[in-house]
Amino acid sequence: RNLKFTLLGDTVNTASRMESHSIPGCIQCTEATALRIMREDDKVKVKPRGMVTVKSKGRIKTFWITGTEGMDLPGECLGLTVCFVDG
């Protein structure tokens, strides 16, 4: 038996925009997500990217997730291929 889910709404739109406005191989997240990560897990490294113009959102402050304590990730932004957003 296969379960199927349909996700709609602002969270999915934001995730799609974060992915399409990112650099391949990087994790980009919103400011709210970065603040939550910093508050809840001090082992995860978050680095400001700056303001990005995002369709249907305007200019938003974004961040890179660059690794965890004891593990720095290589690449232009030191990230992965996953996207985290608020929901």
Side-chain angles (χ1 to χ4, degrees):
R1 175 175 163 202
N2 292 328
L3 299 175
K4 295 183 180 182
F5 299 92
T6 301
L7 300 173
L8 303 172
D10 190 55
T11 299
V12 174
N13 290 335
T14 302
S16 176
R17 301 297 187 232
M18 289 292 99
E19 182 179 21
S20 66
H21 288 81
S22 189
I23 295 172
C26 301
I27 299 175
Q28 178 177 232
C29 66
T30 62
E31 180 177 29
T33 298
L35 293 173
R36 184 170 183 174
I37 290 169
M38 289 185 279
R39 183 176 63 243
E40 294 186 11
D41 191 345
D42 62 351
K43 294 178 182 174
V44 177
K45 298 176 184 177
V46 179
K47 177 181 176 182
R49 177 185 186 186
M51 300 298 287
V52 175
T53 302
V54 177
K55 181 181 173 183
S56 78
K57 294 274 182 193
R59 290 188 54 80
I60 60 173
K61 191 172 185 179
T62 62
F63 291 76
W64 297 122
I65 299 173
T66 61
T68 60
E69 188 175 291
M71 183 182 102
D72 288 326
L73 303 169
E76 298 85 33
C77 64
L78 303 172
L80 296 173
T81 57
V82 179
C83 178
F84 297 103
V85 297
D86 300 325

